[in-house]
Amino acid sequence: MAAALLGAERRRPPGGSVTALLDAAAVETVRRRAGARPAAPRTRPPQPPVDDRPLPPEAACRRLGMLLANRAGGGSGTSAGRRGPYPDLGELLPQWLAAAHAHGYRAPAAELPALLDAARARTDLRAQALALAGPRALWLARLNPDWRFALRDSAHGVRPEQSSGADADAARQLWEEGLFAERVALLGALRRHDPAAGRELLASTWRTERAEDRLMFLDALRQGLSAQDEDFLERALTDRSRTVRATAAELLATLPGSALAARMAERSRSCVARDRLGDGGLVVEAPHACDAAMQRDGLVAKPPSGRGERAWWLAQLVEATPLGVWPERLGGLSPAGIVALPVADGWRDDLHGAWSAAAVRQRDAQWARALIGPPTAPLSEGPGDPAKLLTVLPERERAEWAARFVSTHGLSEAFRILGVCGVPWPSELGRAVVDALEIARDAGSYPWSFSGVMGLAERCLDPADAERLAPLAAVREEGSGGSPGAAEYWSESFHRLVATLRLRAVMLDELRPGTDEDAGGGGRGRSGESAG
């Protein structure tokens, strides 16, 4: 052994020669192999399921491979903090997946591993990636632990007969013996097709589940939530876990006819009333204590740092109260009329903030519209989170509000507002954003502070605007009052914007059905699979 490790020139090998040493090693190798027991045969994995959806055109398949290979980011930054003049391929991947799914395509088999790796690394890709991957994603996820997330997140994780209740025994066996991810997928599928069956399955093992699992399972009840779930959720209000109790209370509060909503409404009525002797505004008498019954219904007694106890309790009560209570309580006024009333003793921000949270939770567009106010007002003057309130409004109205906000205030506070608008942006919103970027450039503003908005514009502007925006990429002379290098950076950013829009246009055209026939591709993907 020493001779083998050190070399024959440093240690004399057994037998006196290197040949003898090698012969001995060969004999030992054969001896070990001869004495090894044969490995037990393993069961071959089942064949992958059939996916009858067509493949994308060949050019689109090649594009997918390129986007997946560059999903960490394809832009070429010239220095720290700069994004470079070239499109970021990784940021185009979500749009490719959404467009391919809209066409009804399936992913090429050769790209499935990279697609699952991408979905594992980026949760924002998972829904579209798993939809495109289809049933083969679940087949692969059962073979590779790194992809187990697909069993939980995929909408296709359960066979139709299981989710429809036709195979109740199989569903019960999967619920009792399956992996946690498979159980979550099963519960979600059942809630989509048969909410009562899903609830009953959960109730059958509820007491034996771990607290963190109960929380995840309870959250799945949001799918198909109805008054039939109230009894189960009322029992969950006494759960050992505080987070489970809080989630149960939140779900009950979204059911306007629930007993919890009625209890919260009764408490809130005693806290807010019209001032009949003064100016007709609102007077507030916040709770003086948070008793055991209130805590059972989901109120957290201890306020966060910097928040007063009474204001904290009031906000939680009002947020959990059905918004339909207030017109009846306050003289038949509309939500806009109620919001316009003065509020005495400095309670306005607390009350309006709670109403804003209730509007978002209850998806009430009329209240959201009244609370968000006109886009001409600064964000700091409004209650709640305007970006969340905007999500309650119809998409067209949301974009119109955002366009007017950008035209009035510019882009300094617009990033979160723009982030909740639909893609692609309507022309009015797109023009407002581009105009605001031009104004910022002409004013000599520090260009790096607008990189986030520029990134949104690359993903959200209509690709048809590319040629109209091309002149903005021209390098301008440095202004006397601008930041050093700002003109070059702005040119670089607009060049990147135009290049990205052009690439998006090509990418979407490649996904158009019939592209392969036009190009003589024969309708086959890059892996040679047939479209059937």
Side-chain angles (χ1 to χ4, degrees), residues 354-381:
W355 276 335
S356 296
V360 173
R361 176 186 286 186
Q362 299 172 36
R363 313 306 295 173
D364 192 308
Q366 193 176 9
W367 273 91
R369 193 174 292 118
L371 288 159
I372 197 172
T376 52
L379 289 184
S380 58
E381 295 182 6

Side-chain angles (χ1 to χ4, degrees), residues 187-196 198-199 220-221 223-225 229:
L187 180 59
L190 283 171
R191 290 293 293 182
R192 282 189 294 273
H193 300 289
D194 189 349
R199 182 185 63 251
L221 295 190
Q223 182 80 36
L225 184 67
D229 300 315

Side-chain angles (χ1 to χ4, degrees), residues 384-475:
D385 185 337
K388 290 183 178 179
L389 287 169
L390 276 177
T391 64
V392 182
L393 301 181
E395 189 170 296
R396 183 68 195 181
E397 183 179 353
R398 196 186 315 166
E400 291 172 353
W401 194 98
R404 292 177 59 198
F405 180 88
V406 169
S407 298
T408 303
H409 304 288
L411 298 170
S412 60
E413 296 182 281
F415 181 77
R416 294 185 66 251
I417 298 296
L418 295 171
V420 300
C421 293
V423 179
W425 288 335
S427 57
E428 180 184 4
L429 178 56
R431 284 195 302 271
V433 171
V434 172
D435 288 346
L437 286 169
E438 284 193 81
I439 291 171
R441 179 195 64 178
D442 296 342
S445 299
Y446 194 63
W448 288 271
S449 60
F450 297 96
S451 60
V453 172
M454 189 67 80
L456 281 177
E458 293 168 9
R459 299 190 293 274
C460 302
L461 282 175
D462 191 328
D465 290 335
E467 302 313 314
R468 180 176 64 84
L469 300 178
L472 298 176
V475 180

Side-chain angles (χ1 to χ4, degrees), residues 54-58 515-517 520-525 529-532:
L55 283 166
E58 186 175 358
T515 301
D516 282 344
E517 284 78 0
R524 300 179 70 83
E529 300 170 276
S530 67

